Amino acid sequence: MKGDLISEIPIIGTAFKICKAADSIRERAFAAKLSAFISGVDSVDDSKKEKMRARVKSSPEEAKRIGETLFFVLERVTDFDKPAILSKLFLAYIDNVISGQDLRRMAQAIDAAFSDDLQKFIEVKTPPKKSESGWMQHLVSSGLTCAVAGKTINEAGLLYYEATPLGNKFRTAYLRKRS
């Protein structure tokens, strides 16, 4: 139904036009996010693209699951820097630096993380152990950091934050030099 008749009905027609405009904006936003992801992946040389094709052919079920995860995460992300992060992690997957399951977990972590906290996690030279930093606390829900209790008498009752094994893999995969 194209809505030509509906658009003529007062109030409902206005609501319909607003919905159509919102769909158009969502489509453009998704296209921009997809473009940012693709530009990161498309910048690789032909041998890397062939590696990508071979990886997809070797495990079509895994490729399907990764594609679905990337699609839904790209659809939901609210910051335009996240698709570029996803593309770097996808390239790490293609190079066998991380597994398909790791990539899917990291994609979910990117989706859950506040962009500024994620950028801080990437930019910090080494994630601190026993940190009280707010940005590390806020990444707990993403699975990239976790809360740890103080272990000495002086630290009794205190909570600190540190990178999880997934967070360390994330940083390694993201910060690696492309081969």
Side-chain angles (χ1 to χ4, degrees), residues 98-138:
I98 57 174
S99 70
Q101 187 177 45
D102 287 337
L103 175 59
R104 292 192 338 265
R105 285 182 194 278
M106 291 175 193
Q108 296 295 335
I110 291 168
D111 184 31
F114 177 61
S115 189
D116 293 358
D117 298 330
L118 191 58
Q119 286 298 331
K120 183 74 174 170
F121 186 65
I122 290 168
E123 291 168 3
V124 70
K125 186 173 181 172
T126 304
K129 293 210 181 274
K130 294 174 67 171
S131 172
E132 296 181 80
S133 297
W135 64 268
M136 287 197 64
Q137 176 186 356
H138 299 303

mmCIF file of all heavy atoms in Angstrom, residues 98-138:
data_model
loop_
_atom_site.group_PDB
_atom_site.id
_atom_site.type_symbol
_atom_site.label_atom_id
_atom_site.label_comp_id
_atom_site.label_asym_id
_atom_site.label_seq_id
_atom_site.Cartn_x
_atom_site.Cartn_y
_atom_site.Cartn_z
ATOM 1 N N ILE A 98 41.078 -13.468 15.471
ATOM 2 C CA ILE A 98 39.986 -13.782 16.395
ATOM 3 C C ILE A 98 39.048 -14.777 15.719
ATOM 4 O O ILE A 98 38.994 -14.861 14.495
ATOM 5 C CB ILE A 98 39.206 -12.515 16.847
ATOM 6 C CG1 ILE A 98 38.643 -11.748 15.640
ATOM 7 C CG2 ILE A 98 40.067 -11.630 17.727
ATOM 8 C CD1 ILE A 98 37.742 -10.582 16.000
ATOM 9 N N SER A 99 38.313 -15.496 16.535
ATOM 10 C CA SER A 99 37.349 -16.472 16.009
ATOM 11 C C SER A 99 36.041 -15.783 15.631
ATOM 12 O O SER A 99 35.806 -14.621 16.001
ATOM 13 C CB SER A 99 37.075 -17.546 17.065
ATOM 14 O OG SER A 99 36.337 -16.985 18.148
ATOM 15 N N GLY A 100 35.197 -16.521 14.943
ATOM 16 C CA GLY A 100 33.875 -15.997 14.602
ATOM 17 C C GLY A 100 33.061 -15.694 15.847
ATOM 18 O O GLY A 100 32.354 -14.689 15.917
ATOM 19 N N GLN A 101 33.169 -16.554 16.843
ATOM 20 C CA GLN A 101 32.450 -16.326 18.101
ATOM 21 C C GLN A 101 32.975 -15.067 18.798
ATOM 22 O O GLN A 101 32.191 -14.264 19.302
ATOM 23 C CB GLN A 101 32.590 -17.538 19.004
ATOM 24 C CG GLN A 101 31.739 -17.441 20.249
ATOM 25 C CD GLN A 101 31.828 -18.695 21.094
ATOM 26 O OE1 GLN A 101 32.914 -19.221 21.318
ATOM 27 N NE2 GLN A 101 30.688 -19.173 21.546
ATOM 28 N N ASP A 102 34.300 -14.887 18.788
ATOM 29 C CA ASP A 102 34.872 -13.662 19.371
ATOM 30 C C ASP A 102 34.353 -12.431 18.640
ATOM 31 O O ASP A 102 33.992 -11.432 19.269
ATOM 32 C CB ASP A 102 36.401 -13.675 19.295
ATOM 33 C CG ASP A 102 37.051 -14.634 20.267
ATOM 34 O OD1 ASP A 102 36.425 -14.982 21.293
ATOM 35 O OD2 ASP A 102 38.205 -15.041 20.006
ATOM 36 N N LEU A 103 34.324 -12.490 17.316
ATOM 37 C CA LEU A 103 33.834 -11.351 16.529
ATOM 38 C C LEU A 103 32.393 -11.023 16.894
ATOM 39 O O LEU A 103 32.043 -9.860 17.087
ATOM 40 C CB LEU A 103 33.955 -11.636 15.035
ATOM 41 C CG LEU A 103 33.374 -10.562 14.099
ATOM 42 C CD1 LEU A 103 34.040 -9.209 14.321
ATOM 43 C CD2 LEU A 103 33.498 -10.994 12.647
ATOM 44 N N ARG A 104 31.549 -12.046 16.999
ATOM 45 C CA ARG A 104 30.148 -11.803 17.355
ATOM 46 C C ARG A 104 30.039 -11.204 18.753
ATOM 47 O O ARG A 104 29.250 -10.284 18.985
ATOM 48 C CB ARG A 104 29.337 -13.086 17.219
ATOM 49 C CG ARG A 104 29.193 -13.525 15.769
ATOM 50 C CD ARG A 104 28.175 -14.623 15.509
ATOM 51 N NE ARG A 104 27.814 -15.465 16.603
ATOM 52 C CZ ARG A 104 28.360 -16.654 16.889
ATOM 53 N NH1 ARG A 104 29.340 -17.128 16.155
ATOM 54 N NH2 ARG A 104 27.931 -17.366 17.899
ATOM 55 N N ARG A 105 30.826 -11.720 19.698
ATOM 56 C CA ARG A 105 30.809 -11.154 21.059
ATOM 57 C C ARG A 105 31.272 -9.696 21.047
ATOM 58 O O ARG A 105 30.695 -8.847 21.722
ATOM 59 C CB ARG A 105 31.713 -11.954 21.989
ATOM 60 C CG ARG A 105 31.164 -13.278 22.411
ATOM 61 C CD ARG A 105 32.138 -13.949 23.383
ATOM 62 N NE ARG A 105 31.837 -15.334 23.567
ATOM 63 C CZ ARG A 105 30.913 -15.814 24.396
ATOM 64 N NH1 ARG A 105 30.192 -14.978 25.098
ATOM 65 N NH2 ARG A 105 30.706 -17.101 24.500
ATOM 66 N N MET A 106 32.324 -9.435 20.301
ATOM 67 C CA MET A 106 32.849 -8.066 20.235
ATOM 68 C C MET A 106 31.861 -7.126 19.559
ATOM 69 O O MET A 106 31.732 -5.965 19.955
ATOM 70 C CB MET A 106 34.198 -8.053 19.518
ATOM 71 C CG MET A 106 35.292 -8.711 20.317
ATOM 72 S SD MET A 106 36.828 -8.798 19.359
ATOM 73 C CE MET A 106 37.775 -9.941 20.364
ATOM 74 N N ALA A 107 31.159 -7.609 18.557
ATOM 75 C CA ALA A 107 30.135 -6.787 17.904
ATOM 76 C C ALA A 107 29.038 -6.429 18.901
ATOM 77 O O ALA A 107 28.577 -5.283 18.950
ATOM 78 C CB ALA A 107 29.553 -7.518 16.693
ATOM 79 N N GLN A 108 28.621 -7.401 19.703
ATOM 80 C CA GLN A 108 27.613 -7.135 20.737
ATOM 81 C C GLN A 108 28.153 -6.147 21.771
ATOM 82 O O GLN A 108 27.426 -5.282 22.260
ATOM 83 C CB GLN A 108 27.193 -8.443 21.426
ATOM 84 C CG GLN A 108 26.499 -9.426 20.514
ATOM 85 C CD GLN A 108 25.162 -8.920 20.010
ATOM 86 O OE1 GLN A 108 24.507 -8.084 20.616
ATOM 87 N NE2 GLN A 108 24.734 -9.446 18.881
ATOM 88 N N ALA A 109 29.447 -6.268 22.113
ATOM 89 C CA ALA A 109 30.062 -5.350 23.073
ATOM 90 C C ALA A 109 30.062 -3.925 22.531
ATOM 91 O O ALA A 109 29.765 -2.964 23.254
ATOM 92 C CB ALA A 109 31.490 -5.802 23.400
ATOM 93 N N ILE A 110 30.384 -3.785 21.255
ATOM 94 C CA ILE A 110 30.372 -2.461 20.622
ATOM 95 C C ILE A 110 28.973 -1.879 20.669
ATOM 96 O O ILE A 110 28.787 -0.692 20.954
ATOM 97 C CB ILE A 110 30.896 -2.551 19.171
ATOM 98 C CG1 ILE A 110 32.392 -2.856 19.187
ATOM 99 C CG2 ILE A 110 30.601 -1.277 18.393
ATOM 100 C CD1 ILE A 110 32.952 -3.261 17.832
ATOM 101 N N ASP A 111 27.988 -2.712 20.397
ATOM 102 C CA ASP A 111 26.592 -2.270 20.438
ATOM 103 C C ASP A 111 26.223 -1.762 21.835
ATOM 104 O O ASP A 111 25.560 -0.742 21.973
ATOM 105 C CB ASP A 111 25.691 -3.426 20.018
ATOM 106 C CG ASP A 111 24.231 -3.053 19.924
ATOM 107 O OD1 ASP A 111 23.914 -1.879 19.609
ATOM 108 O OD2 ASP A 111 23.387 -3.929 20.162
ATOM 109 N N ALA A 112 26.683 -2.464 22.873
ATOM 110 C CA ALA A 112 26.293 -2.131 24.245
ATOM 111 C C ALA A 112 27.079 -0.954 24.826
ATOM 112 O O ALA A 112 26.617 -0.303 25.754
ATOM 113 C CB ALA A 112 26.481 -3.355 25.150
ATOM 114 N N ALA A 113 28.249 -0.682 24.291
ATOM 115 C CA ALA A 113 29.139 0.319 24.887
ATOM 116 C C ALA A 113 28.781 1.740 24.451
ATOM 117 O O ALA A 113 28.377 1.978 23.316
ATOM 118 C CB ALA A 113 30.580 0.014 24.498
ATOM 119 N N PHE A 114 28.984 2.674 25.378
ATOM 120 C CA PHE A 114 28.899 4.097 25.061
ATOM 121 C C PHE A 114 30.156 4.439 24.268
ATOM 122 O O PHE A 114 31.267 4.075 24.645
ATOM 123 C CB PHE A 114 28.799 4.910 26.349
ATOM 124 C CG PHE A 114 28.777 6.396 26.143
ATOM 125 C CD1 PHE A 114 27.773 6.994 25.407
ATOM 126 C CD2 PHE A 114 29.766 7.195 26.693
ATOM 127 C CE1 PHE A 114 27.737 8.368 25.220
ATOM 128 C CE2 PHE A 114 29.741 8.565 26.513
ATOM 129 C CZ PHE A 114 28.725 9.157 25.778
ATOM 130 N N SER A 115 29.999 5.126 23.168
ATOM 131 C CA SER A 115 31.085 5.357 22.228
ATOM 132 C C SER A 115 32.307 6.025 22.866
ATOM 133 O O SER A 115 33.439 5.639 22.583
ATOM 134 C CB SER A 115 30.585 6.187 21.058
ATOM 135 O OG SER A 115 31.545 6.241 20.052
ATOM 136 N N ASP A 116 32.109 7.021 23.704
ATOM 137 C CA ASP A 116 33.250 7.713 24.326
ATOM 138 C C ASP A 116 34.048 6.763 25.219
ATOM 139 O O ASP A 116 35.281 6.811 25.240
ATOM 140 C CB ASP A 116 32.775 8.907 25.154
ATOM 141 C CG ASP A 116 32.169 10.007 24.301
ATOM 142 O OD1 ASP A 116 32.143 9.880 23.056
ATOM 143 O OD2 ASP A 116 31.703 11.009 24.884
ATOM 144 N N ASP A 117 33.343 5.892 25.960
ATOM 145 C CA ASP A 117 34.030 4.920 26.815
ATOM 146 C C ASP A 117 34.793 3.911 25.966
ATOM 147 O O ASP A 117 35.921 3.524 26.296
ATOM 148 C CB ASP A 117 33.032 4.193 27.721
ATOM 149 C CG ASP A 117 32.309 5.137 28.663
ATOM 150 O OD1 ASP A 117 32.888 6.170 29.052
ATOM 151 O OD2 ASP A 117 31.145 4.845 29.003
ATOM 152 N N LEU A 118 34.202 3.501 24.875
ATOM 153 C CA LEU A 118 34.848 2.558 23.967
ATOM 154 C C LEU A 118 36.112 3.179 23.357
ATOM 155 O O LEU A 118 37.163 2.531 23.286
ATOM 156 C CB LEU A 118 33.858 2.163 22.866
ATOM 157 C CG LEU A 118 34.212 1.012 21.964
ATOM 158 C CD1 LEU A 118 34.460 -0.261 22.753
ATOM 159 C CD2 LEU A 118 33.089 0.782 20.965
ATOM 160 N N GLN A 119 36.018 4.435 22.953
ATOM 161 C CA GLN A 119 37.188 5.132 22.404
ATOM 162 C C GLN A 119 38.303 5.233 23.447
ATOM 163 O O GLN A 119 39.473 5.043 23.131
ATOM 164 C CB GLN A 119 36.805 6.526 21.894
ATOM 165 C CG GLN A 119 36.032 6.520 20.610
ATOM 166 C CD GLN A 119 36.798 5.916 19.444
ATOM 167 O OE1 GLN A 119 38.016 5.947 19.370
ATOM 168 N NE2 GLN A 119 36.066 5.311 18.528
ATOM 169 N N LYS A 120 37.936 5.525 24.678
ATOM 170 C CA LYS A 120 38.932 5.604 25.758
ATOM 171 C C LYS A 120 39.602 4.251 25.947
ATOM 172 O O LYS A 120 40.820 4.166 26.118
ATOM 173 C CB LYS A 120 38.255 6.071 27.049
ATOM 174 C CG LYS A 120 39.191 6.260 28.195
ATOM 175 C CD LYS A 120 40.023 7.498 28.032
ATOM 176 C CE LYS A 120 40.844 7.728 29.295
ATOM 177 N NZ LYS A 120 41.824 8.755 29.140
ATOM 178 N N PHE A 121 38.823 3.179 25.907
ATOM 179 C CA PHE A 121 39.344 1.816 26.064
ATOM 180 C C PHE A 121 40.338 1.497 24.946
ATOM 181 O O PHE A 121 41.358 0.852 25.181
ATOM 182 C CB PHE A 121 38.174 0.821 26.049
ATOM 183 C CG PHE A 121 38.557 -0.599 26.348
ATOM 184 C CD1 PHE A 121 39.046 -0.960 27.593
ATOM 185 C CD2 PHE A 121 38.413 -1.584 25.394
ATOM 186 C CE1 PHE A 121 39.396 -2.271 27.879
ATOM 187 C CE2 PHE A 121 38.745 -2.900 25.666
ATOM 188 C CZ PHE A 121 39.242 -3.245 26.912
ATOM 189 N N ILE A 122 40.054 1.957 23.744
ATOM 190 C CA ILE A 122 40.937 1.724 22.597
ATOM 191 C C ILE A 122 42.193 2.585 22.705
ATOM 192 O O ILE A 122 43.302 2.119 22.441
ATOM 193 C CB ILE A 122 40.191 2.016 21.273
ATOM 194 C CG1 ILE A 122 39.126 0.948 21.022
ATOM 195 C CG2 ILE A 122 41.155 2.104 20.105
ATOM 196 C CD1 ILE A 122 38.152 1.295 19.903
ATOM 197 N N GLU A 123 42.022 3.842 23.107
ATOM 198 C CA GLU A 123 43.126 4.799 23.088
ATOM 199 C C GLU A 123 44.117 4.645 24.238
ATOM 200 O O GLU A 123 45.286 4.988 24.074
ATOM 201 C CB GLU A 123 42.568 6.226 23.101
ATOM 202 C CG GLU A 123 41.863 6.594 21.810
ATOM 203 C CD GLU A 123 41.067 7.878 21.919
ATOM 204 O OE1 GLU A 123 41.090 8.538 22.992
ATOM 205 O OE2 GLU A 123 40.403 8.219 20.928
ATOM 206 N N VAL A 124 43.674 4.144 25.381
ATOM 207 C CA VAL A 124 44.570 4.036 26.519
ATOM 208 C C VAL A 124 45.693 3.059 26.187
ATOM 209 O O VAL A 124 45.463 2.020 25.558
ATOM 210 C CB VAL A 124 43.801 3.624 27.805
ATOM 211 C CG1 VAL A 124 43.329 2.194 27.738
ATOM 212 C CG2 VAL A 124 44.620 3.845 29.040
ATOM 213 N N LYS A 125 46.922 3.424 26.546
ATOM 214 C CA LYS A 125 48.072 2.592 26.175
ATOM 215 C C LYS A 125 47.937 1.171 26.715
ATOM 216 O O LYS A 125 48.094 0.203 25.989
ATOM 217 C CB LYS A 125 49.359 3.236 26.678
ATOM 218 C CG LYS A 125 50.589 2.533 26.216
ATOM 219 C CD LYS A 125 51.843 3.268 26.582
ATOM 220 C CE LYS A 125 53.029 2.480 26.048
ATOM 221 N NZ LYS A 125 54.263 3.180 26.175
ATOM 222 N N THR A 126 47.649 1.039 27.991
ATOM 223 C CA THR A 126 47.411 -0.263 28.618
ATOM 224 C C THR A 126 46.247 -0.086 29.584
ATOM 225 O O THR A 126 46.309 0.795 30.442
ATOM 226 C CB THR A 126 48.649 -0.727 29.418
ATOM 227 O OG1 THR A 126 49.777 -0.743 28.544
ATOM 228 C CG2 THR A 126 48.450 -2.101 29.995
ATOM 229 N N PRO A 127 45.209 -0.911 29.469
ATOM 230 C CA PRO A 127 44.097 -0.768 30.408
ATOM 231 C C PRO A 127 44.601 -0.997 31.838
ATOM 232 O O PRO A 127 45.289 -1.987 32.104
ATOM 233 C CB PRO A 127 43.116 -1.866 30.003
ATOM 234 C CG PRO A 127 43.491 -2.238 28.621
ATOM 235 C CD PRO A 127 44.956 -1.970 28.489
ATOM 236 N N PRO A 128 44.323 -0.072 32.732
ATOM 237 C CA PRO A 128 44.835 -0.210 34.097
ATOM 238 C C PRO A 128 44.179 -1.370 34.843
ATOM 239 O O PRO A 128 43.035 -1.717 34.597
ATOM 240 C CB PRO A 128 44.471 1.127 34.741
ATOM 241 C CG PRO A 128 43.350 1.661 33.920
ATOM 242 C CD PRO A 128 43.522 1.111 32.545
ATOM 243 N N LYS A 129 44.944 -1.974 35.715
ATOM 244 C CA LYS A 129 44.385 -2.981 36.620
ATOM 245 C C LYS A 129 43.934 -2.232 37.862
ATOM 246 O O LYS A 129 44.501 -1.217 38.240
ATOM 247 C CB LYS A 129 45.438 -4.019 36.983
ATOM 248 C CG LYS A 129 45.853 -4.859 35.790
ATOM 249 C CD LYS A 129 46.250 -6.234 36.234
ATOM 250 C CE LYS A 129 46.683 -7.081 35.070
ATOM 251 N NZ LYS A 129 45.643 -7.752 34.401
ATOM 252 N N LYS A 130 42.894 -2.726 38.471
ATOM 253 C CA LYS A 130 42.354 -2.106 39.683
ATOM 254 C C LYS A 130 42.085 -0.613 39.490
ATOM 255 O O LYS A 130 42.489 0.213 40.271
ATOM 256 C CB LYS A 130 43.298 -2.350 40.855
ATOM 257 C CG LYS A 130 43.383 -3.808 41.230
ATOM 258 C CD LYS A 130 44.422 -4.098 42.281
ATOM 259 C CE LYS A 130 44.046 -3.497 43.593
ATOM 260 N NZ LYS A 130 44.910 -3.913 44.688
ATOM 261 N N SER A 131 41.387 -0.308 38.420
ATOM 262 C CA SER A 131 41.062 1.079 38.114
ATOM 263 C C SER A 131 39.742 1.461 38.761
ATOM 264 O O SER A 131 38.841 0.642 38.908
ATOM 265 C CB SER A 131 40.948 1.255 36.602
ATOM 266 O OG SER A 131 40.467 2.543 36.291
ATOM 267 N N GLU A 132 39.637 2.709 39.117
ATOM 268 C CA GLU A 132 38.373 3.252 39.614
ATOM 269 C C GLU A 132 37.748 4.179 38.566
ATOM 270 O O GLU A 132 36.783 4.862 38.848
ATOM 271 C CB GLU A 132 38.601 4.001 40.922
ATOM 272 C CG GLU A 132 39.075 3.096 42.047
ATOM 273 C CD GLU A 132 39.281 3.841 43.360
ATOM 274 O OE1 GLU A 132 38.274 4.078 44.049
ATOM 275 O OE2 GLU A 132 40.433 4.176 43.654
ATOM 276 N N SER A 133 38.302 4.181 37.373
ATOM 277 C CA SER A 133 37.834 5.069 36.302
ATOM 278 C C SER A 133 36.389 4.772 35.928
ATOM 279 O O SER A 133 36.009 3.618 35.728
ATOM 280 C CB SER A 133 38.704 4.898 35.052
ATOM 281 O OG SER A 133 40.031 5.267 35.327
ATOM 282 N N GLY A 134 35.621 5.836 35.800
ATOM 283 C CA GLY A 134 34.216 5.701 35.431
ATOM 284 C C GLY A 134 34.025 5.041 34.090
ATOM 285 O O GLY A 134 33.133 4.218 33.913
ATOM 286 N N TRP A 135 34.879 5.368 33.109
ATOM 287 C CA TRP A 135 34.710 4.788 31.778
ATOM 288 C C TRP A 135 34.887 3.274 31.809
ATOM 289 O O TRP A 135 34.230 2.564 31.071
ATOM 290 C CB TRP A 135 35.625 5.447 30.751
ATOM 291 C CG TRP A 135 37.103 5.274 30.990
ATOM 292 C CD1 TRP A 135 37.911 6.121 31.695
ATOM 293 C CD2 TRP A 135 37.918 4.214 30.531
ATOM 294 N NE1 TRP A 135 39.192 5.637 31.706
ATOM 295 C CE2 TRP A 135 39.233 4.459 30.994
ATOM 296 C CE3 TRP A 135 37.693 3.074 29.779
ATOM 297 C CZ2 TRP A 135 40.295 3.619 30.729
ATOM 298 C CZ3 TRP A 135 38.765 2.223 29.509
ATOM 299 C CH2 TRP A 135 40.043 2.500 29.980
ATOM 300 N N MET A 136 35.750 2.770 32.690
ATOM 301 C CA MET A 136 35.910 1.311 32.788
ATOM 302 C C MET A 136 34.683 0.697 33.455
ATOM 303 O O MET A 136 34.242 -0.382 33.072
ATOM 304 C CB MET A 136 37.188 0.959 33.544
ATOM 305 C CG MET A 136 38.407 1.238 32.682
ATOM 306 S SD MET A 136 39.931 0.473 33.209
ATOM 307 C CE MET A 136 39.626 -1.257 33.050
ATOM 308 N N GLN A 137 34.141 1.390 34.422
ATOM 309 C CA GLN A 137 32.924 0.910 35.087
ATOM 310 C C GLN A 137 31.783 0.803 34.081
ATOM 311 O O GLN A 137 31.038 -0.174 34.069
ATOM 312 C CB GLN A 137 32.534 1.854 36.217
ATOM 313 C CG GLN A 137 31.234 1.482 36.881
ATOM 314 C CD GLN A 137 30.777 2.512 37.914
ATOM 315 O OE1 GLN A 137 31.467 3.471 38.194
ATOM 316 N NE2 GLN A 137 29.602 2.305 38.467
ATOM 317 N N HIS A 138 31.664 1.786 33.224
ATOM 318 C CA HIS A 138 30.553 1.809 32.269
ATOM 319 C C HIS A 138 30.676 0.743 31.177
ATOM 320 O O HIS A 138 29.695 0.422 30.520
ATOM 321 C CB HIS A 138 30.419 3.192 31.632
ATOM 322 C CG HIS A 138 30.138 4.267 32.638
ATOM 323 N ND1 HIS A 138 29.061 4.242 33.487
ATOM 324 C CD2 HIS A 138 30.824 5.389 32.952
ATOM 325 C CE1 HIS A 138 29.078 5.302 34.271
ATOM 326 N NE2 HIS A 138 30.138 6.016 33.967
#
